[in-house]
Amino acid sequence: MKAVENGPRRRMKREDRERLIIQEAAQFFAEFGFEGQTRALAERLGITQPLLYRYFPDKETLIARVFDEVYVQRWRTEWEAVLKDRSLPLRVRLIGFYREYLRFVFDYQWVRIFMFAGLKGARDNSVHLALIRERILTPICLELRREALVPDPDRLPILELEIELAWDLHGSIFCLAMRKWIHDLPVPDDMNAVIEYKVDAFLHGALAAIGKLRATN
């Protein structure tokens, strides 16, 4: 994304300038992390730092708005519906979900801001990870139990080991984006094929592991 050129400041509606600041801030923090200075950001925008603070009173407020733009606004409730649609085989659901999910997260800003936030210990990261656990990993665990004929959580609460299994699949797919945008390593051209292989390998091992719960409960 090209930085905004310096020059005579254009008169803009407040909401348009606020939107422009958020968009440029997302790119700025993705490049430099949260140690990047707001003075440098203002220069990229072609505005003064005091004007920047008229829109966002402090850096933390701006960072929170960037998180909302990059993560909250991109979340799709239909992702959750796909995982829970039992009219389709679990394999089909997982492949469909991760193809759509990767389309949103395979993004320079999404990956790099997430990593910088993790290093900073940002609360927003913890909130987002909790959302993933609740709305992606736990439903996957429930569907694995159904496939493996294991008692539902009313009889046997979801175990942390089960969540770890779901993290294995989720993390392996997110790793594709990390390889691209963090490590600058090549990734396969056919992501759809990669997702199919990962889902097949996951189901083969996970169903066998989850099935062991039947023998102990």
Side-chain angles (χ1 to χ4, degrees):
M1 180 176 176
K2 185 178 179 181
V4 177
E5 297 180 359
N6 290 321
R9 190 190 310 158
R10 294 181 294 119
R11 294 185 64 85
M12 299 176 65
K13 293 181 179 179
R14 181 178 180 85
E15 58 269 25
D16 292 339
R17 189 178 296 280
E18 183 177 295
R19 177 75 175 168
L20 181 63
I21 291 172
I22 294 170
Q23 290 175 340
E24 187 63 28
Q27 182 68 14
F28 181 77
F29 291 134
E31 291 178 23
F32 302 107
F34 297 114
E35 301 307 313
Q37 300 298 307
T38 54
R39 185 180 301 277
L41 172 59
E43 289 176 359
R44 283 172 63 128
L45 284 158
I47 63 176
T48 64
Q49 192 178 30
L51 178 58
L52 176 64
Y53 283 126
R54 282 176 55 188
Y55 289 84
F56 303 95
D58 52 52
K59 188 176 180 180
E60 293 306 314
T61 301
L62 177 57
I63 289 173
R65 288 293 302 276
V66 167
F67 260 87
D68 182 76
E69 174 75 15
V70 176
Y71 301 104
V72 177
Q73 298 302 320
R74 294 188 191 184
W75 188 271
R76 296 292 181 268
T77 55
E78 54 264 33
W79 293 344
E80 303 165 50
V82 168
L83 288 175
K84 297 174 182 178
D85 182 5
R86 291 179 174 175
S87 68
L88 298 172
L90 180 55
R91 177 182 182 271
V92 172
R93 285 181 270 160
L94 289 174
I95 291 172
F97 165 74
Y98 276 111
R99 282 179 177 175
E100 183 68 8
Y101 183 76
L102 192 62
R103 188 169 71 85
F104 279 82
V105 306
F106 199 76
D107 174 82
Y108 179 86
Q109 292 180 5
W110 201 103
V111 175
R112 291 180 63 85
I113 290 173
F114 187 80
M115 296 305 296
F116 280 126
L119 292 171
K120 185 176 182 288
R123 177 183 176 277
D124 301 87
N125 242 27
S126 298
V127 171
H128 185 72
L129 288 170
L131 188 70
I132 289 174
R133 178 185 175 112
E134 175 190 349
R135 300 188 184 180
I136 297 177
L137 305 184
T138 298
I140 288 175
C141 290
L142 291 173
E143 298 309 309
L144 285 172
R145 281 194 173 196
R146 182 172 181 268
E147 293 285 316
L149 304 177
V150 172
D152 62 37
D154 290 338
R155 292 177 53 194
L156 176 65
I158 296 290
L159 305 176
E160 283 302 313
L161 285 175
E162 295 175 81
I163 296 293
E164 283 299 314
L165 277 177
W167 269 123
D168 284 347
L169 174 61
H170 193 84
S172 72
I173 291 174
F174 178 62
C175 187
L176 293 167
M178 286 185 58
R179 280 164 51 191
K180 171 73 172 179
W181 301 118
I182 301 295
H183 303 295
D184 195 26
L185 292 172
V187 295
D189 292 329
D190 190 350
M191 288 294 187
N192 287 341
V194 172
I195 288 172
E196 284 193 34
Y197 275 111
K198 287 184 178 293
V199 167
D200 285 341
F202 168 75
L203 287 175
H204 179 76
L207 288 173
I210 295 294
K212 293 178 180 179
L213 294 175
R214 289 199 309 267
T216 57
N217 295 276

